[in-house]
Amino acid sequence: MMHSNYKEALYSILKKEQEISLESAQAIDESYRMIIFLQELLANMKRQIIDHQFTNESEEIEFFKIIKPQIMGKLIYYNKVYRIETSCPVNGGKIYYKYFSAELQHLKCEYKEHICNSDFYRYYRSGRTDKDHDFFKLGKINLNTGLNSFIFEADTQFSTYYDYKISRIIANELLYNYLIFKINHFDKPEMASGNGESAEKIFWTESQNALIELIYALHISGAISHGKIGIRKISMAFQMLFRTQLGDIHHAFHRMKDRAGNRTRFLDQLKSSVEQYMDKDL
């Protein structure tokens, strides 16, 4: 396998994430689609490596230390997000907040128990390379070090064991950021503003469909981040700001497309209101 193929694989992940984020309005759908994509990508890379092998030692080490963990780490992350989101008992309120807080606590316990105190974690975090030959080459697994029993299930043609440990570190970091966002910003907007009293005074007084219409208009026009942020993320920001739940905005938007008469009712109303206000100053 050529070295450039590795870089293209990582780029394809970023491209796919952006594509799915633009199309999907729900974390469940987004994570499921990424799981399928990453599984296929990993399977293709495995076939290529088994068929063509590595051209040299440095390429093998780079693959198992950097390339594969980036792919596997994202796969573990999206699988955890899918599991968490599909098990969530409610869409908001105290139970919702407690659910994601419990998931965060579980992640912290896992980190303390299995990751932070290990010699390998310190090796990886320090940026050392002196033992890369032992950690990231096929057939170099040393059972005398007392490795986790997972090693007996690992594919020795496509794993050095330690590539999986880095994958878990990457996945846990991504999941930590995801859970912090869910806890601090989605259901607790006052924590993001730093002023609970002022945040409570900002709320949406029009219909949910009106807000969805506005969100789609801003997204489609590229008015937010040049259109490079997905509709789901924009929707989450508005729900956080206005302390409201919008549900499945994709289905709501498609129902608007079938409206009889004016399909952009709220946007036209905004335009009319602004023009009337301008006329008062003439």
Side-chain angles (χ1 to χ4, degrees), residues 43-202:
N44 289 335
M45 297 198 81
K46 177 181 177 179
R47 283 193 293 269
Q48 292 181 51
I49 286 175
I50 291 175
D51 291 343
H52 303 290
Q53 304 300 315
F54 296 101
T55 57
N56 52 56
E57 181 180 286
S58 62
E59 184 182 67
E60 182 177 358
I61 290 174
E62 180 186 24
F63 179 79
F64 288 112
K65 185 177 184 179
I66 300 173
I67 306 299
K68 185 188 173 187
Q70 289 290 337
I71 302 172
M72 178 65 77
K74 285 287 184 74
L75 179 57
I76 295 171
Y77 162 69
Y78 280 112
N79 186 58
K80 286 187 175 183
V81 169
Y82 183 81
R83 178 188 61 79
I84 290 171
E85 291 287 351
T86 53
S87 300
C88 187
V90 291
N91 290 324
K94 291 183 179 180
I95 296 177
Y96 180 94
Y97 176 75
K98 288 181 180 179
Y99 174 78
F100 282 99
S101 296
E103 289 292 337
L104 180 61
Q105 188 60 38
H106 175 75
L107 182 66
K108 289 178 179 179
C109 291
E110 181 181 320
Y111 166 76
K112 289 180 180 179
E113 184 177 352
H114 300 291
I115 297 178
C116 71
N117 293 322
S118 70
D119 292 335
F120 176 75
Y121 181 75
R122 288 189 286 272
Y123 173 87
Y124 174 68
R125 278 298 184 211
S126 66
R128 288 168 54 188
T129 59
D130 53 291
K131 293 186 178 181
D132 282 0
H133 179 82
D134 296 320
F135 289 144
F136 304 111
K137 280 182 59 65
L138 293 171
K140 299 283 288 185
I141 296 172
N142 182 9
L143 297 178
N144 290 325
T145 57
L147 302 179
N148 189 290
S149 297
F150 163 77
I151 186 58
F152 300 113
E153 300 178 15
D155 186 342
T156 55
Q157 290 185 296
F158 193 59
S159 178
T160 69
Y161 175 73
Y162 289 97
D163 59 273
Y164 176 75
K165 292 181 79 69
I166 294 180
S167 300
R168 282 190 61 186
I169 293 170
I170 292 172
N172 284 353
E173 289 178 348
L174 292 170
L175 188 61
Y176 175 81
N177 291 329
Y178 180 81
L179 293 173
I180 287 294
F181 176 83
K182 296 289 283 189
I183 293 169
N184 289 354
H185 297 280
F186 188 78
D187 232 16
K188 290 283 184 179
E190 65 274 14
M191 295 175 68
S193 67
N195 188 337
E197 183 179 353
S198 61
E200 289 177 0
K201 296 178 181 178
I202 301 176

